[in-house]
Amino acid sequence: LHPFDADTRLEQTGADAYKTELSNRWSRLGGGPLGGYSLAVCIRALEAEVPHPDALSVSATFMRQAMVGSAEVSTSKIRVGSRFSTAQASLLQNEKELLRVVATFTDFDKLEGRTLMFNEAPPPSPPESAFEPFADDRGPLVDIADRIDYRTTEPVGWYSGRPAGKHEASFWMRFREERPHDAAALAFFCDAAAPIVLELGAIDSRTLDLGVHLRARAASGWLACRVCTRHVIGSFHEEDFEIWDSSGALVAQSRQLALLAGI
Amino acid sequence: LHPFDADTRLEQTGADAYKTELSNRWSRLGGGPLGGYSLAVCIRALEAEVPHPDALSVSATFMRQAMVGSAEVSTSKIRVGSRFSTAQASLLQNEKELLRVVATFTDFDKLEGRTLMFNEAPPPSPPESAFEPFADDRGPLVDIADRIDYRTTEPVGWYSGRPAGKHEASFWMRFREERPHDAAALAFFCDAAAPIVLELGAIDSRTLDLGVHLRARAASGWLACRVCTRHVIGSFHEEDFEIWDSSGALVAQSRQLALLAGI
């Protein structure tokens, strides 16, 4: 079993109730499971709740930091229609809710209409000059860098203690061990890179909400990613994230609002 | 009473239960109450639920089109902490849920940290050359154009049957009758302009989700707005919206995913 599947596996304990084990293999910089990993677990549970195959819109609100260990997921249908279905999931530990997710599903086989793009696709795979910035001395990123192959063409300044002063970046990611880029994986990847505000001197960033729009089913191979923060205002910043697959299609787009420390 | 206050007024009918009357004064292009108007009603109810004064993050998922007439709102607390509180609201008509909102509140008086902006503020008020595009022959916009003063410096192509082919626009909005720009009003304004995809030839756009980030308390006066859609993919498009107040501060930022017709 792929580690991402092993670590998002759910055991049903009742109608709309599951238990799971949050592992230490998908940790955030400040320690503890990444928000996007907790979200992936919830997407798994939601997929079991609705008849439509494709998550389209996923709105996650984070209340508490998850911890490694057992957790419960409860789900409920909100509406099942012919074209869309909407359901909710809550992730709990010790009977306290960590994360609430409302998601709408559809069937991407039924997409129709023109595609109009006003945003240039990034290069679909890393150029020769790209490198693994966390290959040696991974420090606090050891858990996740063991699992994700991350490539960039520019040095990661904050990682060597010299924030680069930039608010946007492009890079590539993929699981080290290949696995389909389904909605759970894409939502995870939207939150899997270190926040770009670290390049502005922040020392941490805590996700308050994360909205993910899945735009197409993703091909295998590299995921070309772009991240951008345009506004840091009084402790809060948004972070926009785009993921393009190896065929050059935009497959996920997310925005999060996060609380930062250190600026 | 300001019409926006009259039309978002709630009557408490029980613990965490309200009734309201959705008016015909804030209608969308295709008819029926605007999504942002329904959302404003829910924000009102959420404000009564939580101790923190300022909505910070509002995630709305739309399941059904609201109709003019009576509606119910039910709310529930999710978490009340020292710095943030999170609650949920549902809007129902005829016992069917139209809209679910999860929102996190904080206290903007306690904001601290630097402000770093990587996005240019638009002109805070309309220049001399700006005009009211819907001043005459408002057609389907009559309800809302009676309530909102909308100014632009560029012709609105779709309105005269000649879509301009553009995917972004800047303009100014305010209530015709002045009223504070609180979170409910800002969330409403994020959805109050005609979708920019109409300039790409779409004939309608139906909001599936709307995430609003409130970034500061807003000054009175004009609201400078920017809208942008970068990706229309197989019937779906995102729409990003920014609202800047008359002091030049970014006060709200939203993204919605919508289903379009006609392209």
Side-chain angles (χ1 to χ4, degrees):
Chain A
L1 202 59
H2 189 284
F4 190 75
D5 291 300
D7 294 347
T8 56
R9 197 163 33 179
L10 295 161
E11 182 187 334
Q12 189 154 12
T13 55
D16 305 325
Y18 305 85
K19 68 178 185 187
T20 190
E21 203 64 34
L22 297 179
S23 89
N24 65 0
R25 300 198 283 187
W26 316 93
S27 299
R28 64 190 293 274
L29 201 58
L34 263 172
Y37 167 40
S38 297
L39 176 55
V41 170
C42 289
I43 291 173
R44 283 269 164 280
L46 288 163
E47 286 170 343
E49 186 72 34
V50 298
H52 292 89
D54 298 297
L56 171 66
S57 151
V58 176
S59 300
T61 304
F62 295 85
M63 274 83 66
R64 296 176 172 91
Q65 173 60 46
M67 291 172 296
V68 170
S70 60
E72 292 79 48
V73 183
S74 65
T75 57
S76 59
K77 280 183 191 64
I78 303 175
R79 181 184 187 226
V80 175
S82 59
R83 184 155 188 187
F84 299 106
S85 43
T86 303
Q88 177 174 302
S90 295
L91 181 73
L92 296 95
Q93 284 187 315
N94 301 317
E95 289 162 33
K96 292 192 168 166
E97 188 169 349
L98 313 178
L99 166 58
R100 186 167 296 200
V101 183
V102 179
T104 297
F105 289 72
T106 191
D107 184 346
F108 280 155
D109 284 336
K110 302 207 169 120
L111 290 184
E112 46 189 43
R114 284 160 65 197
T115 290
L116 299 170
M117 303 294 275
F118 301 94
N119 183 7
E120 202 180 341
S125 58
E128 286 279 321
S129 59
F131 58 95
E132 284 195 64
F134 313 121
D136 308 315
D137 182 24
R138 286 176 193 157
L141 293 173
V142 63
D143 294 337
I144 202 158
D146 272 352
R147 241 57 68 192
I148 297 178
D149 190 350
Y150 180 100
R151 303 286 174 96
T152 177
T153 55
E154 296 188 349
V156 176
W158 64 266
Y159 196 65
S160 49
R162 293 179 294 276
K166 63 185 185 177
H167 71 285
E168 54 191 345
S170 294
F171 46 87
W172 295 263
M173 291 196 288
R174 61 192 294 173
F175 288 121
R176 289 190 184 274
E177 185 183 336
E178 188 148 8
R179 180 192 174 281
H181 294 139
D182 57 10
L186 291 171
F188 164 73
F189 279 113
C190 283
D191 193 43
I196 189 68
V197 288
L198 298 187
E199 292 292 32
L200 299 173
I203 56 171
D204 194 18
S205 170
R206 175 184 150 201
T207 305
L208 297 168
D209 70 39
L210 175 61
V212 183
H213 293 151
L214 290 311
R215 305 299 299 266
R217 289 187 197 143
S220 61
W222 285 103
L223 298 171
C225 304
R226 276 201 292 235
V227 65
C228 182
T229 288
R230 288 185 185 82
H231 318 92
V232 176
I233 305 173
S235 318
F236 300 106
H237 68 95
E238 91 287 354
E239 180 173 283
D240 287 353
F241 207 92
E242 294 167 6
I243 302 181
W244 303 71
D245 75 3
S246 58
S247 79
L250 178 74
V251 293
Q253 191 180 19
S254 75
R255 174 172 290 168
Q256 63 174 272
L257 188 74
L259 172 67
L260 56 75
I263 284 189
Chain B
L1 202 60
H2 189 283
F4 190 75
D5 291 301
D7 294 348
T8 56
R9 196 162 36 179
L10 295 161
E11 182 187 334
Q12 189 154 12
T13 55
D16 305 326
Y18 305 85
K19 67 179 185 187
T20 190
E21 202 66 32
L22 297 179
S23 90
N24 65 0
R25 300 199 282 188
W26 316 94
S27 299
R28 64 190 293 274
L29 202 58
L34 264 172
Y37 166 40
S38 297
L39 177 55
V41 169
C42 289
I43 291 174
R44 283 267 164 282
L46 288 163
E47 286 169 344
E49 186 73 34
V50 298
H52 292 88
D54 299 298
L56 171 66
S57 150
V58 176
S59 300
T61 304
F62 294 85
M63 274 82 67
R64 296 177 171 90
Q65 172 60 45
M67 290 172 296
V68 169
S70 60
E72 291 79 48
V73 183
S74 66
T75 57
S76 59
K77 281 184 191 63
I78 302 176
R79 180 183 187 226
V80 175
S82 59
R83 184 155 189 188
F84 299 107
S85 44
T86 302
Q88 176 173 304
S90 295
L91 180 73
L92 297 94
Q93 285 187 314
N94 301 317
E95 290 162 34
K96 291 192 169 166
E97 187 169 349
L98 313 178
L99 166 59
R100 184 166 297 200
V101 183
V102 180
T104 296
F105 289 71
T106 192
D107 184 346
F108 280 154
D109 283 336
K110 304 207 170 119
L111 291 184
E112 47 189 43
R114 285 160 64 196
T115 290
L116 301 170
M117 303 293 276
F118 302 94
N119 183 7
E120 202 180 341
S125 57
E128 285 280 321
S129 59
F131 58 95
E132 284 195 64
F134 312 121
D136 308 316
D137 182 25
R138 287 176 192 156
L141 293 174
V142 62
D143 295 337
I144 203 158
D146 273 351
R147 241 58 67 194
I148 298 179
D149 191 350
Y150 180 100
R151 303 286 174 97
T152 177
T153 55
E154 295 188 349
V156 176
W158 63 267
Y159 196 64
S160 49
R162 292 180 294 277
K166 63 186 185 178
H167 70 285
E168 53 190 345
S170 295
F171 46 87
W172 296 263
M173 291 196 287
R174 61 191 294 173
F175 288 120
R176 290 190 182 273
E177 184 183 336
E178 188 148 7
R179 178 192 176 282
H181 295 138
D182 56 11
L186 291 172
F188 165 74
F189 279 114
C190 283
D191 193 44
I196 189 68
V197 288
L198 297 188
E199 292 291 31
L200 298 173
I203 56 171
D204 195 17
S205 170
R206 175 184 149 200
T207 305
L208 296 168
D209 71 38
L210 174 61
V212 183
H213 293 151
L214 290 311
R215 305 300 298 266
R217 290 187 197 142
S220 61
W222 285 102
L223 299 171
C225 304
R226 275 201 293 235
V227 63
C228 183
T229 288
R230 288 185 185 81
H231 318 92
V232 176
I233 305 173
S235 317
F236 299 105
H237 68 96
E238 92 286 354
E239 180 174 284
D240 287 354
F241 207 92
E242 294 167 7
I243 302 182
W244 305 70
D245 74 5
S246 58
S247 79
L250 179 73
V251 293
Q253 191 179 19
S254 75
R255 175 172 289 168
Q256 62 175 272
L257 188 74
L259 172 66
L260 57 75
I263 284 188

